[in-house]
Amino acid sequence: MNNDLNYKITENLKHEIETCGKSKSEIAAAIGVSKATVSQYLSGRALPTLATLSRLCNFIDCSADDILCIK
């Protein structure tokens, strides 16, 4: 995958997670990953699988299209 696209996805994920009003612990428990994994999403060291992204978007009420840069 293109590094620019990875960067944009990471930044979009970071924005949605940081503005949702939920803690990393709450998010991790709701989507079935560790708090460390959520931290990796925020830092760009990892990206969620599509299934995890779906659970994340449902939990924090955001659009996967916005995170994935789909117009």
Side-chain angles (χ1 to χ4, degrees), residues 5 7-8 16 18 28 33 38 48 64 69:
L5 184 56
Y7 176 78
K8 289 177 186 174
E16 293 295 341
E18 289 178 346
V33 300
V38 174
C69 307

Side-chain angles (χ1 to χ4, degrees), residues 29-65:
I31 66 173
V33 300
S34 69
K35 184 178 170 186
T37 298
V38 174
S39 293
Q40 289 179 340
Y41 299 159
L42 291 169
S43 70
R45 289 189 312 266
L47 291 173
T49 64
L50 290 176
T52 303
L53 179 63
S54 175
R55 289 191 301 273
L56 175 65
C57 290
N58 285 328
F59 183 68
I60 65 173
D61 193 30
C62 72
S63 168
D65 288 352

Side-chain angles (χ1 to χ4, degrees), residues 1-12 67 69:
M1 190 183 294
N2 181 315
N3 283 339
D4 288 338
L5 184 56
N6 277 351
Y7 176 78
K8 289 177 186 174
I9 291 170
T10 296
E11 287 301 305
N12 292 342
I67 290 174
C69 307

Side-chain angles (χ1 to χ4, degrees), residues 10-23:
T10 296
E11 287 301 305
N12 292 342
L13 263 173
K14 186 176 179 180
H15 171 76
E16 293 295 341
I17 289 171
E18 289 178 346
T19 61
C20 74
K22 307 225 186 282
S23 71

